[in-house]
Amino acid sequence: MKVGIIGSGDVGTSLGRGLVRLGHSVMIGTRHPEKEKLQKWMMDNSPGGRVGSFSETAAYGEVIFLCTSWNGTQAVIEQAGIWNFKKKIIIDVTNPLDGKGPDVNGLLGLAPVNNSSGGEQVQAWLPDAHVVKALNTVGNTLMINPNFQEGDPSMLIAGNDDPR
């Protein structure tokens, strides 16, 4: 399957590496495809790994993982071209964090999103896509083939498509 990953941080590149190893063709979308770190990622994950712009990646992916920091998510979606997401499954891995980092107790704050969840907000930005919220409750090292002594973990997913 052709997978587009919008976002080139630790989450996006870790997911990309795991999906390439599972046999998928993956393009990482970024503002700076020429970055040395991403060129290395592409070489380390060839032949299945590629790097492109946000719009190239959104057009490329049959399924798209959204792995951006919350404060830039809407702008990145717009840069990628909303039409490139139409009728595609979007795995929303974002968390609507306020960007201030942990407080004195180590807790992260959420950004206000007008009484809707982050997933609902992404769905509003992408009305013609099938948004599924997933993988945002675990670290990137546990997103592909997690291995626990206790057994397989339960993973929460949410979306608003009628399953019928």
Side-chain angles (χ1 to χ4, degrees):
M1 176 177 289
K2 294 188 334 185
V3 177
I5 297 179
I6 306 290
S8 59
D10 291 341
V11 172
T13 55
S14 293
L15 273 171
R17 181 175 43 257
L19 290 166
V20 166
R21 289 185 181 148
L22 291 172
H24 300 286
S25 178
V26 175
M27 182 181 286
I28 301 278
T30 180
R31 282 185 186 88
H32 306 287
E34 71 285 348
K35 270 190 173 177
E36 185 178 331
K37 169 189 160 189
L38 295 173
Q39 292 300 309
K40 182 177 179 344
W41 180 90
M42 191 168 54
M43 289 178 59
D44 291 347
N45 292 283
S46 96
R50 303 168 185 198
V51 177
S53 69
F54 292 134
S55 63
E56 290 170 327
T57 300
Y60 176 81
E62 297 168 317
V63 171
I64 300 170
F65 285 77
L66 188 58
C67 303
T68 55
S69 64
W70 182 252
N71 59 0
T73 298
Q74 184 176 11
V76 168
I77 287 171
E78 290 169 358
Q79 288 172 32
I82 293 170
W83 55 90
N84 284 320
F85 295 90
K86 190 172 185 172
K87 299 198 184 294
K88 293 183 180 180
I89 296 171
I90 313 304
I91 309 297
D92 176 13
V93 187
T94 66
N95 281 310
L97 301 176
D98 62 14
K100 296 177 183 174
D103 65 15
V104 295
N105 296 313
L107 301 175
L108 297 170
L110 296 176
V113 289
N114 301 326
N115 296 324
S116 60
S117 71
E120 289 170 316
Q121 188 62 61
V122 170
Q123 183 69 75
W125 295 329
L126 297 170
D128 296 323
H130 306 283
V131 176
V132 179
K133 190 72 163 171
L135 300 173
N136 66 317
T137 60
V138 297
N140 63 57
T141 60
L142 300 175
M143 291 179 178
I144 303 281
N145 293 327
N147 186 9
F148 295 103
Q149 190 173 22
E150 299 84 9
D152 291 337
S154 296
M155 297 294 250
L156 304 174
I157 62 170
N160 69 351
D161 278 355
D162 186 349
R164 292 178 267 164

